[in-house]
Amino acid sequence: LASQWAWELEERGWRVVWLSLAEREARSAIAQSLNLPASAPWGVLLDELWKARTLLVLEELDGSEDLQPLLKHVGGLLLLASRQHLPYPSLAQLATTDRLIHVTAEMLAFTRGEATDLFGDAERAAKALSLTNGWPLPLHFASLADTFPINATLLEGVRRSVSEAAWRELLFTAALDQLP
């Protein structure tokens, strides 16, 4: 979804800066992508970043990044991608001023009607929905392959896509209703 959005904006003349911050310091990574010295101060960096219509995509965030100067001075479009909660205080301010859209996995999941449209068969769509919880990628692959996903494969995909702490929390949450 993000890459489609970025592609559309590029087609309209926007500059797209897409960075993975996995184990990288945000300010220096953004500076280098703009051909500035890695030590450029936030003020210089933000002036250069927002002087043109820009979409900045920062992915693989873990919440430890220092993004406060960036979040306080958004002069274009900013997409933050993370598999976990981001604790940045400025996000609450952006949300209360209608300058933030928080897209969750549940919002991206297929609905029953969408799955039926995709499969062309309500019964097969319902079975695929129950196996994937509406996750777009496995549901779409199931429709293309005309077969249903294997739960073990889906489970391994989830395990690899979250941190160890999140995985333990998911396992606990899954077992919670089974506990006395």
Side-chain angles (χ1 to χ4, degrees):
L1 183 62
S3 63
Q4 286 178 334
W5 185 43
W7 181 82
E8 271 189 41
L9 288 173
E10 278 184 317
E11 290 289 306
R12 295 183 195 168
W14 283 67
R15 172 176 59 177
V16 174
V17 178
W18 193 301
L19 299 169
S20 171
L21 291 186
E23 300 180 23
R24 293 174 63 192
E25 198 269 322
R27 185 184 46 78
S28 63
I30 296 167
Q32 288 175 333
S33 74
L34 298 172
N35 295 318
L36 295 171
S39 60
W42 273 110
V44 171
L45 178 105
L46 293 170
D47 285 345
E48 180 65 25
L49 180 63
W50 303 127
K51 77 178 184 183
R53 293 186 312 167
T54 302
L55 164 64
L56 173 61
V57 178
L58 301 176
E59 63 179 349
E60 298 195 42
L61 301 174
D62 64 17
S64 67
E65 302 83 8
D66 175 22
L67 297 180
Q68 285 307 106
L70 175 66
L71 294 172
K72 287 185 178 186
H73 302 284
V74 177
L77 297 173
L78 175 63
L79 188 149
L80 305 177
S82 177
R83 292 184 176 123
Q84 52 202 349
H85 171 74
L86 296 176
Y88 312 129
S90 295
L91 291 179
Q93 182 181 6
L94 292 170
T96 58
T97 58
D98 286 332
R99 296 181 58 214
L100 172 79
I101 299 171
H102 181 204
V103 180
T104 64
E106 292 79 23
M107 293 167 70
L108 295 174
F110 274 75
T111 65
R112 181 175 296 278
E114 291 167 336
T116 300
D117 289 346
L118 183 65
F119 279 83
D121 177 325
E123 188 176 313
R124 290 183 53 73
K127 183 172 182 181
L129 269 175
S130 71
L131 292 172
T132 64
N133 288 329
W135 286 16
L137 199 55
L139 190 81
H140 185 71
F141 283 156
S143 73
L144 292 174
D146 199 31
T147 185
F148 294 112
I150 301 167
N151 285 340
T153 305
L154 291 175
L155 191 61
E156 184 59 25
V158 171
R159 182 165 177 30
R160 289 181 185 210
S161 70
V162 299
S163 68
E164 186 60 34
W167 177 248
R168 285 193 305 270
E169 185 176 339
L170 282 169
L171 290 176
F172 177 73
T173 303
L176 201 56
D177 63 342
Q178 306 296 319
L179 297 174

